[in-house]
Each structure stands twice: as C-alpha cells, then as structure tokens.
C-alpha cells in the first residue's frame, strides 16, 4: 500500500513512521533534481499558505517561501508584530480564522503546545518550523544530507555534541532511532535528554535495529563516528545570563580538529546553523570580549573544512520542506 499523508500536520517525527519519513525523503530528492534541472513544478497553484514566526530565522523563512513559490503557492509571512495571536486573540480563534483563509500554516516559535493547538483547531495541515522541544523540518534536511554523503542511513554512527536536551538534541535522538542510525548524545549529565524521551527513542530504536547511548566523555562520543553534529550553546529566547554557565559546561564539547580525528576518516561535520565559529557576528564578538572565547561550539577550522557539510544541509531545508508542503496538501 502506498504512503498517503495528505491533510496531516507535521509537528514531530514521533508522529511519523519510518516508511512515511522515507516517502518524504524520496520526494525531496525528486524536487531537488527538478530544481537543479530547471523543471517547473508549480503543482499547487491556487493554494495559499501562511508563515507564523515568533522566532526569526534565515533558513526556515527562506526555505518555506522559495518552496512555496516554486510550487505555485501564495505565501504570507507574519512576524511577531503582525498578528494578534496569543495577545488579543486566542490560539484556537487564530487557528480557525487562518484555516478558513489558508490551505496550510507554518509556525516557528517557542511552545510545542502552541503548534499542537494550531493543528487541533485550524482544520488544515500545520508544519512545525521549530519549537523549544522539536525541529522536525531540520531533521529531514539532515537525513537527506547524510544519505547523499554516505549512500544510506541505517547503521551510521551519529554523535551529537552539546546541549542534548534542546530541540535539536531531542529531534536528532528521535530521527536517528526512527531511521536506524546509532545515536550518541555527548554532553554533561545535566544536559542529557529527558529520560521519558530517551525511553521512547529506545523502544523505537529496538524496532529499527539501532542503539541509543548517552556519555559525558567527548573522546568516547567521537570515537568511530560517521557524523559529528553540534548546535549553538544558548538557544534563541534564553536569557543572556545563561552564557557563562553554558560555556563552562560545554567548552570541553567544542568540535575541533583534535575531536574530529577521533571519528572515522570519512566522517562529516554537521550543524543546523547559525554557528558561532568566529567573531564575525555581534554575538560572537561579544562572547569573545566577555569570555575570551573567539570560537564556540565549533572551531573555524572544522567549520570551513572539507568534512563540513553545513551548507548542503542549509540547501536541503528547501527541498525537504517542499516535500512536506506538497505531500500534506496534494
């Protein structure tokens, strides 16, 4: 029986089977080939989507807008000051209004509960562009990138370095378990993923033939890895006071050339971006001045190396998001 996810929301990979994830990845490959060959694919002309952003973003906004335009969609972008959602109008009311006007809704912000509420009341597919708990559209881009580099997903040794209980740590744990990658979270114990999520992932991994490992030792975590992945140490919306403590906790987990040498020679470096690998940003400059740390979660040497596939990931956001939009609307 073929896969059909028309009308479904895309809120977390926990809601999707490995077969459905595979369907989206294969569709993304087709759209990527069409895009690169200049083949028009305006399959959704006459439909409209709205993008609700409580957190700003370069990749998520551009990926959704370009994907939408390529598919022939009308696209409306609403920043935090452009709607009454949660202020003068409740989430259920906002969802029901937008569901009458649009064929799909993207939300990027803070609360997973909020995006689930939008999905419950809107009557149209809702896509999670990022919450504090999950980042499923990034997962599809990451899976596609790894498959392009290695030719397969199942059996790869994947290591995540850093805050393993943030949205990226949570999402990568689930994605790897679903698709059969051996997942290692390498972090201080207080930044391990929530035990209840680990338990869910372990059950999923048992079915897919993969493993879940948590370790505090960076060398152990990096050993024999096919992929080393990291993320910024302080997420958008966290208070500025967090920096000092987070740097103290995570500095030993910085991805540098010494750490990369512990992985396989064929290993790749991944990052969802943005990255503080130098001081060419206001935050990077500020942290360097305050803490004497010119490179944070990854060194510039690794970020700019031949092992880095971060810009392939960034491009693949567009192709995989296009697949999600098309598959849930068509």
């Amino acid at each position: 029986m073929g896969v059909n996810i028309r009308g479904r929301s895309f809120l977390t990979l926990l809601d999707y089977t490995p077969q459905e994830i595979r369907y989206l990845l294969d569709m993304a490959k087709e759209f990527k080939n069409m895009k690169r060959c200049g083949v028009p694919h305006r399959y959704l002309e006459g439909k409209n989507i709205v993008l609700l952003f409580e957190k700003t973003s370069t990749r998520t906004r551009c990926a959704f807008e370009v994907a939408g335009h390529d598919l022939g969609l009308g696209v409306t972008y609403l920043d935090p000051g452009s709607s009454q959602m949660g202020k003068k109008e409740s989430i259920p009311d906002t969802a029901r209004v937008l569901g009458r006007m649009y064929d799909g809704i993207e939300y990027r912000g803070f609360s997973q509960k909020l995006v689930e509420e939008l999905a419950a009341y809107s009557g149209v597919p809702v896509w999670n562009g990022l919450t504090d708990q999950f980042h499923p559209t990034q997962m599809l881009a990451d899976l596609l990138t790894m498959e392009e580099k290695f030719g397969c997903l199942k059996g790869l040794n994947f290591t995540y370095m850093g805050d393993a209980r943030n949205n990226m740590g949570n999402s990568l744990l689930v994605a790897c378990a679903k698709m059969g990658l051996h997942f290692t979270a390498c972090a201080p114990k207080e930044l391990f993923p929530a035990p209840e999520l680990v338990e869910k992932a372990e059950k999923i991994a048992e079915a897919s033939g993969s493993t879940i490992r948590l370790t505090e030792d960076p060398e152990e975590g990096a050993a024999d890895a096919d992929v080393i992945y990291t993320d910024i140490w302080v997420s958008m919306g966290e208070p500025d006071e967090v920096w000092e403590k987070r740097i103290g906790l995570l500095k030993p987990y910085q991805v540098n050339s010494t750490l990369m040498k512990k992985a396989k020679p064929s290993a790749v470096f991944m990052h969802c971006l943005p990255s503080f690998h130098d001081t060419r940003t206001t935050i990077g400059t500020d942290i360097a001045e305050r803490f004497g740390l010119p490179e944070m979660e990854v060194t510039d040497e690794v970020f700019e190396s031949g092992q880095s596939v971060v810009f392939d990931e960034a491009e693949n956001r567009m192709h995989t998001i296009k697949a999600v939009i098309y598959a849930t609307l068509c």
Side-chain angles (χ1 to χ4, degrees), residues 22-144:
R22 165 52 50 202
Y23 172 70
L24 290 169
L25 292 175
D26 289 343
M27 183 178 290
K29 291 178 188 178
E30 293 181 24
F31 278 129
K32 186 170 185 176
N33 286 335
M34 286 189 233
K35 180 79 171 176
R36 292 195 163 184
C37 294
V39 177
H41 42 281
R42 299 176 63 83
Y43 302 143
L44 298 179
E45 283 191 298
K47 293 183 182 292
N48 296 279
I49 63 172
V50 61
L51 314 180
L52 299 177
F53 275 61
E54 291 188 317
K55 285 186 178 181
T56 58
S57 169
T58 300
R59 280 149 300 281
T60 302
R61 177 178 176 179
C62 294
F64 267 99
E65 288 197 349
V66 174
H69 292 312
D70 282 356
L71 289 168
L73 291 161
V75 181
T76 301
Y77 171 77
L78 295 178
D79 63 27
S82 298
S83 89
Q84 298 298 334
M85 182 178 68
K87 297 186 283 288
K88 292 183 179 179
E89 187 168 56
S90 70
I91 305 308
D93 288 359
T94 299
R96 285 177 286 191
V97 168
L98 295 177
R100 296 291 185 96
M101 298 181 181
Y102 292 94
D103 299 285
I105 300 169
E106 182 271 353
Y107 169 80
R108 178 183 171 92
F110 297 94
S111 169
Q112 183 71 19
K113 182 180 177 183
L114 192 153
V115 77
E116 290 170 357
E117 202 170 6
L118 284 172
Y121 284 93
S122 66
V124 298
V126 172
W127 311 299
N128 180 0
L130 174 143
T131 64
D132 288 345
Q133 192 172 359
F134 292 110
H135 197 358
T137 55
Q138 180 68 50
M139 292 307 97
L140 292 181
D142 293 342
L143 291 169
L144 178 60

Side-chain angles (χ1 to χ4, degrees), residues 187-206:
K189 189 167 288 185
E190 65 186 271
L191 300 182
F192 279 178
E196 56 270 25
L197 184 62
V198 173
E199 186 177 345
K200 284 183 184 178
E202 286 174 339
K203 289 179 181 176
I204 296 167
E206 187 176 347

